[in-house]
Amino acid sequence: MKNDKPNNDNHIEHIRHTTLVNDQGIRFAEFELAGDEQDVSLLDKPSDHQGQEPVDSAAATKESLIVKPQQPLDMNWGEDFRYVTKEQQFVQKARELGWHVEGEAPFVAFKSYWPTYDQMASDQFKWYFYWREEVRSGRYPDTDLSYLFVYFYELIHGVGWSDPQQGYALMEQAWTAYRKRYAKLDTYLREWLYDFMIVHGLDMPIRETYQRFPRVLSAELKEKEWKRRFSLQPVELTWELLLDLLDYDVEKSRFYQESGRKDLEQYAPKVIALVDSYLAKMKGQRFIDRFQPRPRQVKRHLFRSAVYDHGLYGRNVVLTVVSLSEYAPLRSYITGLVRLTENKLRELRGFKGRLRGVDAVEPEVEEIITRYLKKEVQEQLEAQRKQAIPEVQIDTGKLRRLQRESDQVRDMLLTEEAGQQAEVVNSQPALGSAPSVGASSGHSEDAGTSTNMAVLSKGRSSRKSATKKPDVFQAVMDFDADPYEPDAIEVRDQLDEANGIVRSVNTEQSELEAVNGRFMEPSGSTDERSLQSMAPLEEHSSEAGLIHVMAPHVVDEDALTVMPTVGEQSWQWEVEDEEWQELAERLNPIHLEVLHALKAGPNRPRLQQIAEKAGSMPALLLDEINEAAMDTIGDLLIDGEAIADDYIDMLETLKSV
């Protein structure tokens, strides 16, 4: 809608005022100028001051168009209009509250992503400054993680310490005190401490040792740790760190997954240290000298993820880094050493299959690795074998009691048999005077015949008395067993495989040749003969042969633990080496019989028979042979229950005579 009514209230000639109203009720004004408006005088505004002289309108118009310069404002634009960041505000307030202390206050929870003082309530504020004073005093009460971050932000900006080393120590001590409760601290404090060392020029040692590098650890810290470990003497690499240097996944190897995991994790790091020492000794170059990459410069962002004012130390810093872990020649050589180690362990453990890619290793280095692994594996097998041998304990009190009882029974049997023998001799026709015990040689034929008859009568009398009283039962180590068995004629040999202890002495028969080819009879129990063998001998000779008569005596205690002599078999072993000759002299016939039985390979049944005959156990006999072999030839002769492959040929000349 348009209103063309002229504006009669304007009273200005040559100007027409028109008002326009649209559909929404909004009014618009239009002014039309005729074109002759120049130098048209405008109506003066009524003045409140009366009596003033009239002002020329044309002069006033011209004067109003002139803009006069204003006086400059008295302000400091750099200070009054400076933008202050959140980090700068925190630093300014932290310095103001650097030594503020609050009294004892209750703990109040506080959780914030980037915590500062402004986010604390009054009770949180009081707890923080009470807790901070406790931490500075060496006491570390429980608190929330956000309080810890505020404390670390203060230390980063120099609040709370006067010397950089003191600030480093305070930061590390708080980290150590709370890292078990808050594992998240490790992610930040490793990097912040390293940045603190850089900006203050500190040369602090790395006190934390890594079994495996964390994923969040920066490349600069990793390379610094690699250099430290390769500089140590010897090189210190764990299995987890060694995996980071390999160009193949050894944990997917069939040998590792089936049986070789323990061997590889134990010996592979030791092989790396061994080769490094060998190269240093023979060639004067260690790994870190032989495989030295070129240093490169990297840009590091300081105090990442912290409330940090970069105007203090700068936003970034340029570092010179030597990337050992990424150097291809070093990785290739380490990979070859680990592959070679796995191949040797496969060979020693009897595992089929071999890995390729060991050509980079020198022949002399391969020989050293072979000798080292062979020695270590053999020592491990020997330790496991010795650990499997049961311990033998002897009760000396029971041993003495058993000896006294055995002596009493022996004296009773010898006295009774002597009386029975005298009765038999007296009942025979008198052919002449019998020679006394201890007479000299050269007796007549009748004397020899008389003596032989006495011996035969003694044998029959012994069998007759055996039905009345049991023979002497001498237990060697099992002292709790029943020493007598009714209606027994012979002493039974009982071998306890579980304890490895001989429970009784085997019964043996001694052969006596009768005059004119007469038959032989048993002369008594093994126990009597073993006791009588240590007494003085008195001999009676005749034309037909020689008969030994044993005098009774007291048994020595040490004789009870001696292994009884078994068998009359003799052996012949022709060896030319002095060491092997000494070994042959140290071994007794039982040991030689064991070696002869094992010439064709493991023979458990035969070995058990020999041990039972000797009153021992197979493991003890094998240990005695290996002990003698170590003292003479300097190596183990028996591996497990078989002759070692290297020494089978030496036993070809061992024969039974």
Side-chain angles (χ1 to χ4, degrees), residues 23 51 126 176 196 230 235 252 358 384 396 405 480-481 552 575 611:
D23 296 337
K126 292 179 181 180
T176 304
F196 197 91
F230 274 104
V235 173
K252 293 183 178 180
V358 298
Q384 293 175 355
T396 57
E405 296 175 356
D480 294 327
V575 287

Side-chain angles (χ1 to χ4, degrees), residues 421 425 428 431-436 439-457 512-518 539-549:
Q421 180 179 356
V425 173
Q428 297 295 329
L431 299 177
S433 59
S436 61
S440 61
S441 61
H443 294 288
S444 62
E445 181 178 357
D446 294 340
T449 303
S450 177
T451 305
N452 293 336
M453 292 296 294
V455 172
L456 295 178
S457 299
L512 302 174
E513 292 187 1
V515 180
N516 297 328
R518 299 186 63 178
E539 300 180 352
H540 292 273
S541 62
S542 65
E543 296 179 359
L546 188 63
I547 300 176
H548 299 279
V549 180

Side-chain angles (χ1 to χ4, degrees), residues 400-545:
R400 288 191 294 269
R401 175 174 56 81
L402 180 62
Q403 180 183 356
R404 289 194 300 269
E405 296 175 356
S406 178
D407 291 344
Q408 295 174 1
V409 175
R410 182 205 63 208
D411 294 340
M412 294 172 61
L413 291 175
L414 291 177
T415 303
E416 183 177 354
E417 290 180 357
Q420 293 177 356
Q421 180 179 356
E423 293 177 0
V424 173
V425 173
N426 293 334
S427 65
Q428 297 295 329
L431 299 177
S433 59
S436 61
V437 176
S440 61
S441 61
H443 294 288
S444 62
E445 181 178 357
D446 294 340
T449 303
S450 177
T451 305
N452 293 336
M453 292 296 294
V455 172
L456 295 178
S457 299
K458 176 183 177 182
R460 288 190 294 270
S461 175
S462 300
R463 291 196 301 273
K464 182 178 180 181
S465 62
T467 60
K468 298 179 180 180
K469 294 184 179 181
D471 291 340
V472 179
F473 186 94
Q474 179 177 339
V476 177
M477 292 184 183
D478 190 3
F479 306 114
D480 294 327
D482 187 4
Y484 301 103
E485 182 177 354
D487 301 330
I489 299 176
E490 296 180 352
V491 178
R492 301 180 184 273
D493 176 32
Q494 301 177 353
L495 181 64
D496 189 350
E497 277 292 338
N499 298 323
I501 300 175
V502 179
R503 299 195 176 193
S504 63
V505 180
N506 296 328
T507 303
E508 298 183 9
Q509 296 180 351
S510 62
E511 300 179 353
L512 302 174
E513 292 187 1
V515 180
N516 297 328
R518 299 186 63 178
F519 65 92
M520 300 181 297
E521 289 189 21
S523 60
S525 66
T526 302
D527 186 58
E528 291 180 17
R529 290 187 290 104
S530 62
L531 294 173
Q532 294 170 0
S533 63
M534 294 179 285
L537 301 180
E538 297 183 0
E539 300 180 352
H540 292 273
S541 62
S542 65
E543 296 179 359

Side-chain angles (χ1 to χ4, degrees), residues 112-124:
S112 177
Y113 188 71
W114 268 328
T116 59
Y117 306 114
D118 297 336
Q119 298 171 354
M120 294 182 185
S122 59
D123 51 354
Q124 294 171 339

Side-chain angles (χ1 to χ4, degrees), residues 91-105:
V91 174
Q92 182 178 358
K93 195 166 185 178
R95 289 172 179 171
E96 295 175 357
L97 300 172
W99 303 108
H100 181 75
V101 178
E102 290 283 348
E104 185 175 357

Side-chain angles (χ1 to χ4, degrees), residues 178-237:
Y178 289 99
R179 66 182 304 187
K180 291 184 178 179
R181 279 174 271 183
Y182 300 108
K184 192 176 181 180
L185 285 176
D186 294 347
T187 304
Y188 301 99
L189 266 297
R190 289 190 186 102
E191 305 294 337
W192 292 350
L193 284 172
Y194 183 55
D195 292 337
F196 197 91
M197 292 170 53
I198 294 174
V199 298
H200 294 289
L202 301 179
D203 188 16
M204 306 296 290
I206 298 178
R207 300 179 183 177
E208 184 183 11
T209 58
Y210 300 94
Q211 294 295 323
R212 190 175 199 135
F213 287 134
R215 293 182 179 180
V216 296
L217 193 66
S218 63
E220 297 84 16
L221 275 180
K222 285 183 180 179
E223 296 302 334
K224 188 177 181 68
E225 179 68 6
W226 280 122
K227 185 176 180 180
R228 185 187 73 85
R229 287 184 174 272
F230 274 104
S231 300
L232 295 175
Q233 180 65 29
V235 173
E236 290 186 5
L237 292 179

